[in-house]
Structures are given as C-alpha cells and as structure tokens.
Amino acid sequence: MASLIESYEHQYSSLTADITVKIGKLSKTHGLEKQNVTLQVERLFDEAAELLEQMDLEVREQAPKDRQKYQTRLKSYKTELDKLQKDFKRARLGLDSRDELLGLEDIQDSSDQRSRLLDNSENLERSSRRLDHGYRTVVETEEIGAQIMEDLHSQRQTIQRSRQRVEEMNSNLGKSSRVLSGMMRRIIQNRVLLVGMGAMILVVIALGIYFTVKKSQS
C-alpha cells in the first residue's frame, strides 16, 4: 500500500504544479481565454481533492508505525491545496493584494452569516408551526378524551339503571313466585278437603244403604 500512496503523492505533485502554472497564467488572460483557464483550474482542483480523499483512505489502512508519517504528509498536502485555492480566487478576481482578498472574504462571510440567520429564522418558524400543531393536537386529544369519559359515565349510569331494573324485576318475580306457591298450596289443600268430603259422603251413603237393606230383610 505504501507504493500506492507514493504513486498518489506523485500524481498530487503533478496536479499542484499544473494548478500553479495555470493560476500564474490566469492573471495574464482575459475574456474567453480566462474562462477556459478558470474551468481547467477548477477541474484540476476537483481531481486533487478526490486524490487526497483516496490517499486518506489508503493512509487509514497503514500500520500504526507508518500511519502517523503519512497523516502528517496528507495534512500538509491539504494545507497546500487550501493555499492554492486562495491564490486561485485572488487571480480569478484580479486582486493584487491580500487585504483585498480578505475584504472580499469578509463580505462573503457576512453574506454567509445572513444566510445562516435566515435559515435559522426559517427553522425557528417551522419549529413554532410544529409546536402550534402539536399543541392543537394535544387540545383536540384532551377534548376527545373528555368526550369519551363523558360517554363512559353516561353508559355507566345507563348500566346501573338497567341493573336496578333487573334487580327490581327479580324481586317482583320472587314475590310472584311466593304468591303462586301459596296459591298452589291452597288449591292442593282444597282438593284434599273435597276428596275427603266426597269419601265421607260415599261412606255415609253406603252405610245408609246397608242399614236400609238389612232392616228390610229382618
């Protein structure tokens, strides 16, 4: 893998050398030629950044004793590439002094800050809308819960009234059953009395006939 990293380093050196040459050429060109050189430099920067990413992956695979060495090199390559990008920006804009470049960067930073503030404001507004929606949902849920509790209370009262009516019906049925039982006992008693009276009448009649026949024979 070390040889692969060294190959990446050679490619990176070639790219940065080409970038340096084209940046120097950029300040001396105008119009369409300057646009073409700008595009070429941007492509070279993309290739260099991609190459550093591949190199970073390879460095992570190195043994611990070699990893620190290559990480130090990689860090210096990234620093160098950042410096070249600033040089490219200055050359592309035709700025001759570092102070002008810093002033431009301050303007860009201010614009970035405004953009971030706007983004934060939009995020806060979206969060506020979500909170309002959540609050309305909670209120609606509470109302639904209160309605459900009221319905359950009403159903409970209905069930209690139905239970009371059933208990009253059971009580009335018990009373009716006791009345019917008493009536049945009286009916049975009356029948027994009637049977007994009938039997007594038959006995009396039989005795009367017997004595009458006996008396006529004598």
Side-chain angles (χ1 to χ4, degrees), residues 1-204:
M1 290 187 180
S3 59
L4 182 57
I5 293 177
E6 291 174 357
S7 174
Y8 286 154
E9 288 178 331
H10 289 307
Q11 294 179 38
Y12 175 77
S13 297
S14 177
L15 284 173
T16 53
D18 197 5
I19 290 173
T20 303
V21 171
K22 291 187 182 300
I23 288 175
K25 182 180 179 181
L26 187 64
S27 59
K28 301 175 183 179
T29 57
H30 301 281
L32 184 60
E33 183 181 0
K34 185 172 184 177
Q35 293 179 3
N36 292 332
V37 175
T38 299
L39 292 175
Q40 293 174 9
V41 174
E42 289 176 348
R43 283 196 294 268
L44 290 173
F45 272 121
D46 291 338
E47 292 179 13
E50 184 178 354
L51 189 62
L52 290 180
E53 290 179 0
Q54 295 176 356
M55 193 183 303
D56 187 21
L57 294 175
E58 293 297 330
V59 169
R60 295 179 184 179
E61 299 295 329
Q62 296 298 309
K65 63 179 182 179
D66 296 328
R67 189 181 305 161
Q68 183 64 39
K69 176 181 65 175
Y70 288 116
Q71 285 179 341
T72 302
R73 290 185 186 177
L74 183 61
K75 185 177 180 179
S76 66
Y77 295 151
K78 290 180 179 179
T79 302
E80 180 185 7
L81 190 63
D82 290 338
K83 182 180 178 300
L84 287 174
Q85 286 177 337
K86 291 180 180 180
D87 293 340
F88 170 61
K89 184 184 297 185
R90 185 168 60 250
R92 185 179 57 184
L93 297 176
L95 299 176
D96 296 328
S97 67
R98 179 176 179 82
D99 292 337
E100 291 178 338
L101 178 60
L102 292 175
L104 180 62
E105 290 178 347
D106 290 339
I107 294 174
Q108 292 176 342
D109 291 340
S110 177
S111 177
D112 292 340
Q113 289 177 358
R114 286 196 297 271
S115 298
R116 286 194 294 270
L117 288 174
L118 289 174
D119 292 339
N120 291 334
S121 178
E122 291 177 357
N123 291 333
L124 288 174
E125 186 176 354
R126 286 194 294 269
S127 299
S128 178
R129 287 197 296 268
R130 286 195 294 267
L131 287 173
D132 291 339
H133 178 70
Y135 176 74
R136 288 195 298 270
T137 302
V138 170
V139 172
E140 292 175 356
T141 303
E142 289 181 350
E143 292 177 352
I144 294 172
Q147 183 64 39
I148 292 174
M149 292 298 296
E150 185 177 352
D151 293 340
L152 290 175
H153 180 68
S154 176
Q155 293 175 4
R156 181 181 179 184
Q157 291 180 340
T158 302
I159 292 172
Q160 288 178 345
R161 287 194 295 269
S162 300
R163 184 180 298 172
Q164 290 176 354
R165 286 195 293 270
V166 170
E167 291 177 352
E168 291 174 358
M169 290 176 63
N170 289 334
S171 178
N172 293 331
L173 287 173
K175 293 178 181 179
S176 300
S177 177
R178 288 193 294 272
V179 171
L180 290 173
S181 298
M183 292 175 66
M184 289 298 296
R185 284 196 298 272
R186 286 194 293 273
I187 290 171
I188 292 172
Q189 290 175 356
N190 291 335
R191 287 184 177 180
V192 170
L193 290 174
L194 288 174
V195 171
M197 291 176 64
M200 290 177 62
I201 292 171
L202 290 175
V203 170
V204 171

